[in-house]
Each structure stands twice: as C-alpha cells, then as structure tokens.
Amino acid sequence: MLKNHGLLPGLMLLGMLGLAIGTTVAATDRTDLNKATFAGGCFWCMVAAFDNLPGVVEVIAGYTGGHTENPTYEEVSAGETGHAEAIQVFYDPTKTGYSQLLEVFWHNVDPTAADRQFCDIGPEYRAEIFYHDAQQQRLAEQSKAELSLSKPFKEPIVTQIAAASAFYPAAEYHQHYYRKNPLRYRYYHYTCGRAQRLKELWGSAPKQ
C-alpha cells in the first residue's frame, strides 16, 4: 500500500521517534465553542485549510472512526486500526456556522474518491464527515444532497457521513505542520497532486 507521507525526507523516521501524543488546547475546554470533525486525507492539509477561517479558534490533527484506543501514527498508517486521519475544529458559532465549515470541507477534498485522497491510498486517508449531534447530521446530509445536484464534475459523491466517535490527537510533531515545516509541507502538497486535483474538480484550488 502506497504511503506518500514518505515522500518527505526523514518524515517517517521523525514520526517514529515517539514524540508525546496530543496537546492541551484551551479551546477544547471552552463551553462557548462548537466542535466539528472531518477527515479529508492528509491531516496536515486539512489543518491548513481550516486554521485561519473566521471564527475558527483551534484545529487539532488526530485520528477517529476506528476500533482501537490511543492509536499511534504508525498503526493508523498501516491500516490496522480503522481510523482515519482527521481534524477537530473548534469554532465560535456567533462568527461562523457549521454550514460554512461544510462548504470549506467539500472544496478541500475529492468527494469522488473512496478510501483514498489524492496520492494517499488506504481507508486511513478517506474523506468523511463525523457529526456530533442531530443538527450537524441534518446539515451534512443536506449539503451532500445539494452538492450532488450542483457539482461541477460528473462522478458520483462517495464521501460518507457518520456519527462522531472517540478522537485521538496526533503527536505534537503533526500539529500545525504547515507552519512548522513550510517548505516540506509545500513540497508534499504539490507532489501529492492535491492542489491540481482540487482545481480540476472545483475550478480553482483553495489557498493553503
């Protein structure tokens, strides 16, 4: 199975150093914020897509949708746990809404691809929406139905929508990777073909 995060020199080696998993983010304890969870392939790229949106307070890279507790990056990448690389978005509902986040999600994934995104192949790189309540479920299903009618491409939308389950933050090394390692991030983003495919699907590539 192809694991194209390995495109980056030394990346997998650094990922195996056993860096501490998770970060304590004040946003996770704030009762005035709402939470959204999305999987869209490489979580570095999804963090970058959501990180600077109006109303978004914090975006955390991690793993969800699997059947084991506290999975490691290596276990998830090997396809052993059923988890997807994912992000959790903490946002101020007075400044942005879940519908706006869904629009950003759709335009940053290839919704025609099952169990892969761009150059990354395997169910751990699937695109999926994980809802946290009935309203999110309704809005997610509505947005998918509307997109099926208005999409600018011919292929069917295969992105799944499922109830949110346990979310496990990835190691600190992966958090906001695009900021910490901008050159390596841009190299990966380009060589994986993400921007090129998004432009092909939607007519223009989202800014990263």
Side-chain angles (χ1 to χ4, degrees):
M1 185 178 295
L2 181 65
K3 302 298 175 190
N4 278 288
H5 282 182
L7 286 170
L8 303 183
L11 185 59
M12 293 304 297
L13 177 61
L14 287 171
M16 296 174 66
L17 291 179
L19 299 176
I21 292 179
T23 47
T24 302
V25 180
T28 62
D29 298 321
R30 286 178 53 178
T31 59
D32 60 322
L33 300 180
N34 285 359
K35 178 171 59 177
T37 304
F38 304 110
C42 170
F43 49 21
W44 301 338
C45 300
M46 293 298 284
V47 169
F50 283 84
D51 213 18
N52 298 305
L53 296 177
V56 170
V57 176
E58 182 59 82
V59 184
I60 302 173
Y63 317 105
T64 196
H67 50 73
T68 63
E69 295 183 358
N70 300 310
T72 66
Y73 178 74
E74 293 71 39
E75 290 169 342
V76 173
S77 296
E80 298 174 353
T81 69
H83 291 87
E85 287 198 9
I87 59 169
Q88 231 166 44
V89 182
F90 292 84
Y91 64 99
D92 184 341
T94 67
K95 296 180 179 179
T96 193
Y98 190 66
S99 294
Q100 285 69 45
L101 298 182
L102 285 168
E103 184 175 357
V104 173
F105 166 79
W106 288 119
H107 285 81
N108 278 276
V109 301
D110 180 350
T112 72
D115 289 338
R116 62 179 292 272
Q117 283 290 292
F118 314 105
C119 69
D120 291 318
I121 299 173
E124 63 271 26
Y125 295 114
R126 66 189 182 268
E128 190 164 356
I129 299 169
F130 298 92
Y131 59 84
H132 289 270
D133 54 37
Q135 182 181 25
Q136 286 191 357
Q137 180 183 14
R138 178 181 61 81
L139 291 173
E141 292 176 347
Q142 178 181 315
S143 72
K144 181 177 178 179
E146 291 175 350
L147 188 61
S148 295
L149 298 175
S150 63
K151 59 187 173 65
F153 46 85
K154 294 181 180 180
E155 302 95 326
I157 294 173
V158 298
T159 302
Q160 298 297 304
I161 299 170
S165 57
F167 182 90
Y168 300 97
E172 179 61 26
Y173 172 75
H174 294 292
Q175 305 299 332
H176 305 286
Y177 184 89
Y178 76 101
R179 292 182 193 168
K180 297 172 181 175
N181 299 279
L183 294 179
R184 287 184 173 184
Y185 171 75
R186 285 196 291 270
Y187 173 78
Y188 165 76
H189 189 269
Y190 179 78
T191 57
C192 196
R194 193 178 191 104
Q196 299 92 313
R197 177 58 174 161
L198 291 177
K199 185 175 182 179
E200 181 182 320
L201 285 166
W202 303 105
S204 62
K207 294 181 179 179
Q208 293 287 322

